[in-house]
Amino acid sequence: MDTDARQPIMVDSGKRGRVAKIPRHIAIIMDGNGRWARQRGLDRAEGHRAGVKALKPIVKECAALGVEVLTVYAFSTENWSRPQIEVNALWNLLVEFLRLETPELKAERVRIQTIGNVGALPARAQKAIETAKRDTAEQTRMVLNLALNYGGRDELVRAVNRWLDEYRPVSPERYVTASAIAEHLDTAGLPDPDLLIRSSGELRISNFLLWQLAYAEIYVTNTLWPDFNPMELHKAIRAYQERDRRFGGLRE
Ligand code: IPE
Ligand code: IPE
Ligand code: MG
């Protein structure tokens, strides 16, 4: 796919031809399914169904552009407070998505991973996740990282506790460090997101990747998630390519 809307997005860096900085890691807060459904007089679950459908073309486009990691916020630690019927519908959609799409994701050489407290999900969801992870474990083109029962605060607490479990018995005098925390987060081994996209216009991060987003560029679109498509993705990446990332230093 190649849209012109005022250049960059080139990629294909065979010996650094055509380059233009594509984010290594894109994180997306897929928000707005409920509003999309309401606008159409549909049930919220139908909005979620449409939202799941919107994901596949974005995964494929990210892989095609050379993005290394795509992390998508699918269910937060706070989303349990929604009506049980909606929560159930979400887990059913996840199971269906994994069952139907894993073969194609594998063919696209995408590896499925998760972050969040997956051990607290319904058994059927855990099983589907395990199968999808196992089936795609060898794939190396891109990681599709699903944030499920994910909360940034919960992740940090679990990370620090994991670190304490490891070190307290052997060296009780040791203090935690930034790299020790990073290495015990669910995202250990992944680069931090370069670009955070949030659909449907809310200007907040809703407990997503609190540690990892420290220097992410933020792009918010009013487009509701079910309407988010590869063109919208390109718009976000173009906006990113125009940003001046200083990391607290000075412009080059
Ligand atoms: C995002 O859409 C999907 C999940 C949080 C699971 P919402 O369901 O939050 O949609 P809105 O914000 O109500 O429109
Ligand atoms: C964030 O969206 C979580 C997901 C997209 C999974 P929410 O709709 O839950 O966030 P708030 O409530 O608007 O902050
Ligand atoms: Mg929402």
Side-chain angles (χ1 to χ4, degrees):
M1 155 167 193
D2 215 349
T3 46
D4 41 19
R6 298 190 322 264
Q7 57 218 274
I9 297 219
M10 296 152 9
V11 297
D12 182 355
S13 86
K15 287 286 164 249
R16 314 229 45 88
R18 285 204 348 134
V19 212
K21 46 174 182 159
I22 292 293
R24 289 182 69 192
H25 183 170
I26 297 179
I28 306 184
I29 302 177
M30 307 186 291
D31 195 18
N33 297 347
R35 276 161 279 180
W36 184 93
R38 199 178 54 218
Q39 285 175 1
R40 287 161 180 75
L42 300 171
D43 200 67
R44 290 183 62 84
E46 286 310 309
H48 294 312
R49 179 170 290 282
V52 171
K53 212 167 145 200
L55 179 59
K56 189 161 81 170
I58 301 304
V59 175
K60 284 184 150 188
E61 186 60 18
C62 282
L65 289 171
V67 171
E68 292 169 40
V69 185
L70 172 63
T71 299
V72 294
Y73 207 3
F75 193 94
S76 75
T77 47
E78 287 73 32
N79 287 149
W80 294 107
S81 68
R82 295 184 181 202
Q84 182 72 42
I85 188 160
E86 178 172 352
V87 170
N88 270 335
L90 284 165
W91 299 131
N92 289 339
L93 283 166
L94 172 74
V95 170
E96 187 181 307
F97 170 80
L98 291 173
R99 189 163 46 79
L100 294 177
E101 305 300 346
T102 299
E104 191 173 335
L105 292 173
K106 184 177 175 182
E108 294 277 339
R109 292 186 288 124
V110 170
R111 179 162 84 250
I112 295 170
Q113 289 185 189
T114 60
I115 54 173
N117 185 2
V118 168
L121 302 194
R124 67 188 192 287
Q126 291 192 49
K127 214 184 276 168
I129 291 162
E130 237 170 75
T131 307
K133 279 186 182 169
R134 195 187 52 229
D135 289 353
T136 61
E138 310 293 313
Q139 306 309 320
T140 53
R141 184 169 172 217
M142 186 179 82
V143 172
L144 171 61
N145 195 22
L146 304 172
L148 299 167
N149 189 20
Y150 176 86
R153 288 183 172 184
D154 178 66
E155 180 194 33
L156 276 160
V157 170
R158 287 186 291 102
V160 171
N161 282 326
R162 275 204 287 262
W163 180 86
L164 285 169
D165 280 346
E166 264 174 56
Y167 289 104
R168 201 166 28 190
V170 287
S171 52
E173 73 290 353
R174 195 151 156 191
Y175 288 99
V176 75
T177 60
S179 57
I181 291 177
E183 283 159 21
H184 289 78
L185 291 171
D186 298 347
T187 52
L190 301 177
D192 284 341
D194 301 294
L195 171 62
L196 170 71
I197 299 173
R198 181 164 189 154
S199 59
S200 88
E202 308 297 350
L203 300 176
R204 53 176 173 260
I205 57 176
S206 302
N207 203 10
F208 195 35
L209 301 172
L210 296 180
W211 177 277
Q212 299 89 335
L213 290 175
Y215 269 102
E217 295 297 327
I218 300 177
Y219 177 89
V220 176
T221 173
N222 286 327
T223 301
L224 302 176
W225 176 253
D227 295 327
F228 194 92
N229 58 27
M231 289 279 252
E232 296 277 343
L233 176 72
H234 279 215
K235 266 196 236 167
I237 295 176
R238 276 203 189 85
Y240 166 84
Q241 290 175 327
E242 284 167 11
R243 303 280 176 90
D244 175 25
R245 301 187 81 189
R246 291 187 294 276
F247 299 97
L250 300 177
R251 221 200 147 111
E252 268 173 30

